[in-house]
Amino acid sequence: MKNRWLFFLQLGFTLLVCAFLIVPVILSILAGLTVNYLVGLESGLTLRWVMEVWNGYRSTIFLSIGISLACLALTLVIGIPAAYVLAKRQTALTRAIEELLVMPVAVPGLATALALIVSYGGLPGFRTSWLFILVGHVLFTLPFMVRSVLAVLSAIDLQTLEEGAASLGATFWQRFFHVVLPNCRTGILAGSLMVVTLSMGEFNMTWLLHTPLTKTLPVGLADAYASLRLEIGSAYTLVFFLMIMPLLLALQAFAKPRTPKFVAEETE
Amino acid sequence: MTETTKPLAIALENCAKTFADGTKALEPLDMTINAGETIVFLGPSGCGKTTTLRIIAGLETPDTGGKVLFDGIDVTHLPIEQRNVGMVFQSYALFPNMTVAENIGYGLKIRRTPEAQIRARVAEMLAMMRIEKLADRRIDQLSGGQRQRVALARAIAVRPRALLLDEPLTALDAKLRDTLRLEIDSLLRSLQITAIYVTHDQAEAMALGDRIVVMDHGRVAQVGKPRDIYQRPATRFVAEFIGTMNRLSGVVRDGVFACRAGELAWDTAHGNATEVLFRPEDIRIAESQEASGLQGTVAAAFFLGDRTRLFVDVGEAQPLVIESTARRDFSHGETVRLAIDPRGLLVL
């Protein structure tokens, strides 16, 4: 009897926490689809606000997708070799680099953005280009790629695998592409999804780095909330939600640990 | 078998190895490994045996002045991928991202062998190691014994000039180790390949080696045929590392070796000695009517079926180990008279 009560108590608490998190999402989505939010749902449902967002803010959506993909490409090209070197050479220097890489995550985005503006804001063309935002995003997301690849590389016996491949005649690049890369696939996937998701939603830094012509989706969203009807802001949220949700689901799927397989020793 | 490559002769000249942190892993070593022979490097961990293997493989370079020669050609600075040696690791080093067949065919793929030939060679290897059914398995679906068979097949598939095995059986359980040891032995004989085998297990070394190199603290303690190493160990370290050794301490006087357990007839050719060593099979319980100058008391007796292992206290720090085939029971504390075969006596 006592256990039953405990169970319902826990269930109730869990549902309460879920509701606390989910209700605003539902309300926001509904607001974006309601003709007049102040009147309420009686005013009817409409796609008008979504269409207005699409027409007015389409460019921010494409810019965000573009930046996050470019950011992914750069973090892959920089992050994987970096993780490989960090995994292979365990010295005081590499450990220091590993720690330093996390700095942009620990330091507030605003501070990083300011530092970037102070250092490179004067470069003509660069300050007004989307590449300026890209640099900030790469700084911010790189540690996530390096960390997740490094975690996988440290879990496998990289040195022996490479020696095995070398003994079969594989050169450095063959070893890297045939053995190292495929075996840190899970880390690369997890890191990639993390990078894309973070870059897509990054606001702090982007708020300072953007110009009126280089607005990303979250910046546009803040704009919409600040200056337009609540319905449009909410419709914007809905669009953002639809874009980020599949990524988050994929992230969950890949982050699942592999089930260990039990293998019995053969009998002879 | 379609092995056409001529076996390789390997020579090490003045090969020493000091690691970056200053540890001296290997003292200067000169060694010739004959074409087609199986040579076993044997010793406790940290004796330099694995370093020697890695220098031969090309995974380490010897200190300046050292040279590695393959059929007389200097390969000291050739990296492993250009030496064409097959290697088998204790941890197998199989690629988890490839199937069994892909693992075995990998070396051939690197050599740009035509697809059809790769398939034929992989099938041949799978058959040779009797693992045909595992061809499409992933590595994490294999047991330890199966993994080591795949690792052997993968190393042999490319027809290497020499096969290097680094403690290949250490990670397996005792029963499987025996089975695989037998398989590796017949494999090496049928391939007639130069094989270098590193182990700390003296039974493995005895079974597989044409010659054994016993190593200790980065130095070669003795090189020889298994029987020589066992019966005529060059140093006390070798004597005690290989097999079981009994010892009696005492003094030579009036043509006998006198010790706490009694007296032992002494051949003056042995010269003077304060200690004699002999194997358990060279000492037995004396027959009742036989003359014997030695006796001790039974400290423990273990009936093993075909023989009884006796531990006989003779007043030394260590009891003598005796393998008795006598058809009788021994009781704790019983006094036994002992006979030692003088041919088995060693003075080191």
Side-chain angles (χ1 to χ4, degrees):
Chain A
M1 237 13 227
K2 200 181 154 207
N3 277 341
R4 233 176 128 74
W5 275 108
L6 198 65
F7 170 75
F8 280 116
L9 204 69
Q10 286 172 333
L11 184 69
F13 184 71
T14 310
L15 288 178
L16 203 71
V17 171
C18 287
F20 184 74
L21 294 171
I22 292 168
V23 166
V25 176
I26 295 171
L27 282 183
S28 174
I29 289 171
L30 278 178
L33 296 171
T34 316
V35 173
N36 188 332
Y37 188 65
L38 289 176
V39 176
L41 275 179
E42 305 92 88
S43 63
L45 293 172
T46 177
L47 281 176
R48 185 183 144 200
W49 312 122
V50 176
M51 287 318 291
E52 271 192 33
V53 167
W54 179 250
N55 288 329
Y57 287 95
R58 205 167 30 201
S59 61
T60 68
I61 296 170
F62 290 133
L63 182 64
S64 268
I65 295 175
I67 288 182
S68 62
L69 290 181
C71 182
L72 173 62
L74 281 178
T75 47
L76 283 175
V77 169
I78 306 170
I80 296 173
Y84 175 75
V85 173
L86 291 179
K88 276 201 101 165
R89 308 224 183 289
Q90 288 286 330
T91 64
L93 180 69
T94 58
R95 272 192 289 278
I97 291 173
E98 208 182 315
E99 294 306 319
L100 280 176
L101 264 176
V102 194
M103 285 299 281
V105 182
V107 170
L110 289 174
T112 314
L114 272 175
L116 279 174
I117 291 169
V118 168
S119 314
Y120 305 114
L123 291 179
F126 187 45
R127 175 69 184 89
T128 51
S129 153
W130 64 277
L131 292 171
F132 198 56
I133 299 176
L134 179 63
V135 169
H137 282 202
V138 170
L139 266 179
F140 177 60
T141 55
L142 189 60
F144 293 92
M145 177 64 81
V146 173
R147 285 265 162 159
S148 62
V149 176
L150 189 58
V152 176
L153 285 179
S154 325
I156 58 178
D157 187 355
L158 188 64
Q159 191 192 336
T160 314
L161 280 183
E162 276 199 77
E163 286 179 356
S167 75
L168 294 163
T171 60
F172 173 77
W173 290 109
Q174 285 171 326
R175 298 198 293 264
F176 190 73
F177 284 107
H178 296 161
V179 177
V180 179
L181 277 190
N183 283 307
C184 53
R185 201 184 57 115
T186 50
I188 295 174
L189 279 173
S192 299
L193 284 161
M194 194 82 113
V195 165
V196 171
T197 316
L198 285 173
S199 165
M200 199 84 95
E202 211 295 319
F203 176 74
N204 276 355
M205 215 189 266
T206 321
W207 177 249
L208 274 186
L209 295 178
H210 88 283
T211 64
L213 289 176
T214 55
K215 266 188 208 155
T216 65
L217 203 156
V219 173
L221 186 61
D223 248 23
Y225 270 116
S227 56
L228 294 167
R229 293 184 64 134
L230 180 64
E231 288 86 346
I232 294 189
S234 299
Y236 208 158
T237 311
L238 178 59
V239 171
F240 184 63
F241 195 67
L242 288 177
M243 287 180 56
I244 212 85
M245 216 40 205
L247 282 173
L248 286 174
L249 287 176
L251 191 71
Q252 277 294 317
F254 282 118
K256 261 188 204 142
R258 284 173 73 182
T259 43
K261 294 188 187 73
F262 175 75
V263 181
E265 197 58 66
E266 77 267 41
T267 43
E268 307 234 358
Chain B
M1 209 62 50
T2 53
E3 307 303 323
T4 45
T5 13
K6 207 169 115 303
L8 174 73
I10 299 169
L12 299 177
E13 285 178 7
N14 195 31
C15 281
K17 182 70 190 176
T18 314
F19 284 118
D21 62 358
T23 347
K24 200 133 176 82
L26 193 63
E27 301 290 337
L29 170 73
D30 290 284
M31 168 86 41
T32 312
I33 298 162
N34 304 321
E37 86 171 323
T38 299
I39 195 154
V40 179
F41 286 85
L42 172 69
S45 61
C47 70
K49 58 190 192 299
T50 295
T51 306
T52 311
L53 184 84
R54 290 174 67 85
I55 287 175
I56 296 171
L59 290 169
E60 307 278 358
T61 35
D63 294 348
T64 330
K67 259 197 205 171
V68 181
L69 305 173
F70 279 15
D71 279 341
I73 296 160
D74 188 347
V75 296
T76 316
H77 298 290
L78 216 54
I80 179 167
E81 59 262 33
Q82 288 167 33
R83 288 198 190 183
N84 195 14
V85 291
M87 194 145 178
V88 177
F89 298 84
Q90 182 182 341
S91 57
Y92 320 122
L94 296 173
F95 311 130
N97 56 313
M98 301 181 199
T99 63
V100 166
E102 285 166 347
N103 262 283
I104 299 174
Y106 182 72
L108 298 165
K109 194 178 110 188
I110 291 294
R111 287 163 173 74
R112 301 185 189 285
T113 314
E115 192 61 38
Q117 280 182 39
I118 295 184
R119 236 173 298 140
R121 181 66 175 165
V122 168
E124 188 186 345
M125 286 297 114
L126 288 167
M128 186 168 90
M129 299 311 297
R130 294 183 282 112
I131 48 174
E132 295 98 325
K133 279 185 289 182
L134 305 178
D136 298 317
R137 291 264 194 100
R138 303 204 69 84
I139 299 310
D140 57 8
Q141 297 170 312
L142 302 180
S143 69
Q146 290 168 337
R147 283 177 206 213
Q148 203 47 287
R149 287 199 180 87
V150 176
L152 276 164
R154 184 179 74 174
I156 297 165
V158 294
R159 299 187 172 86
R161 304 174 73 193
L163 191 59
L164 312 179
L165 305 106
D166 187 6
E167 306 236 12
L169 303 181
T170 305
L172 303 172
D173 64 55
K175 205 175 154 206
L176 199 63
R177 220 158 38 218
D178 286 346
T179 320
L180 263 169
R181 188 168 73 198
L182 217 66
E183 277 181 40
I184 290 178
D185 184 54
S186 58
L187 188 70
L188 294 179
R189 312 237 163 263
S190 71
L191 293 176
Q192 299 192 309
I193 191 172
T194 308
I196 297 148
Y197 192 107
V198 162
T199 183
H200 66 268
D201 179 335
Q202 47 113 356
E204 238 168 82
M206 295 284 198
L208 291 171
D210 292 324
R211 282 195 301 157
I212 295 176
V213 181
V214 186
M215 296 190 72
D216 180 32
H217 287 98
R219 282 174 218 278
V220 171
Q222 191 174 5
V223 185
K225 294 199 168 75
R227 188 170 290 277
D228 293 340
I229 301 264
Y230 186 80
Q231 289 177 342
R232 283 190 292 280
T235 66
R236 285 189 59 133
F237 169 78
V238 176
E240 272 157 23
F241 189 72
I242 313 261
T244 311
M245 201 45 107
N246 287 315
R247 63 170 105 163
L248 289 171
S249 49
V251 286
V252 176
R253 68 169 174 246
D254 309 329
V256 292
F257 182 83
C259 57
R260 290 193 193 89
E263 289 178 343
L264 192 60
W266 191 250
D267 181 354
T268 44
H270 283 312
N272 216 341
T274 55
E275 186 177 62
V276 291
L277 303 169
F278 51 93
R279 299 284 183 191
E281 58 270 27
D282 290 320
I283 180 168
R284 56 188 174 78
I285 307 296
E287 307 289 339
S288 49
Q289 67 278 18
E290 195 176 0
S292 160
L294 287 174
Q295 65 177 31
T297 53
V298 175
F302 300 102
F303 178 58
L304 301 175
D306 56 338
R307 64 210 140 92
T308 307
R309 179 169 299 148
L310 295 169
F311 291 83
V312 176
D313 184 14
V314 286
E316 305 276 337
Q318 293 288 324
L320 299 182
V321 180
I322 302 174
E323 307 273 340
S324 168
T325 51
R327 294 171 173 275
R328 51 163 286 204
D329 281 330
F330 293 92
S331 51
H332 184 83
E334 176 185 345
T335 302
V336 283
R337 293 189 309 125
L338 307 166
I340 297 177
D341 184 343
R343 289 171 302 179
L345 286 181
L346 290 166
V347 177
L348 289 174

